[in-house]
Amino acid sequence: MWWWVLIWTILVVVAGVYLVARLWGLWGQVKELTAETERASQTLAALEAQVDRLGEAPPHPIAVFQDPRDLRRHRATTRADLRAQRAARRAERLPLWARDVD
């Protein structure tokens, strides 16, 4: 009968040691998390100060709320500009004998 008491005592001691080890590790993780949160808070405060110093740019309106005719004109001009830039780059790559004489 005494060996049942010994087994239960060993089980309780092992469980206590296991719980203490887990709590010790958890405490270390909580300390690391707190330090990381503090560093993130300081970084965020520095970034907010930088934004305040630079001033906020007015947000661009979302394209969904703009006039479709203006958007089509903007798209057409942008495409024409890009097409002209591509043509200029292509003309620079061509050898002299293959370029247009215009």
Side-chain angles (χ1 to χ4, degrees):
M1 185 75 151
W2 62 270
W3 51 279
W4 281 107
V5 173
L6 182 63
I7 289 175
W8 277 104
T9 305
I10 291 172
L11 285 174
V12 168
V13 168
V14 168
V17 169
Y18 175 76
L19 287 176
V20 167
R22 294 292 295 208
L23 288 174
W24 188 266
L26 181 64
W27 175 248
Q29 289 177 350
V30 167
K31 288 193 310 188
E32 289 178 13
L33 178 64
T34 305
E36 186 67 27
T37 304
E38 185 176 336
R39 280 194 299 273
S41 175
Q42 290 171 354
T43 304
L44 182 62
L47 288 174
E48 286 176 348
Q50 184 76 4
V51 166
D52 290 341
R53 188 177 64 83
L54 294 175
E56 291 189 32
H60 296 287
I62 299 173
V64 173
F65 300 119
Q66 292 181 358
D67 186 25
R69 291 174 296 227
D70 292 339
L71 291 174
R72 280 190 210 102
R73 275 193 297 274
H74 179 66
R75 180 175 181 259
T77 57
T78 302
R79 288 177 62 111
D81 291 343
L82 291 175
R83 192 175 301 119
Q85 289 174 4
R86 278 195 308 271
R89 285 194 309 264
R90 189 178 310 119
E92 290 175 1
R93 284 192 311 246
L94 288 175
L96 289 177
W97 57 269
R99 293 184 187 176
D100 287 335
V101 186
D102 297 338

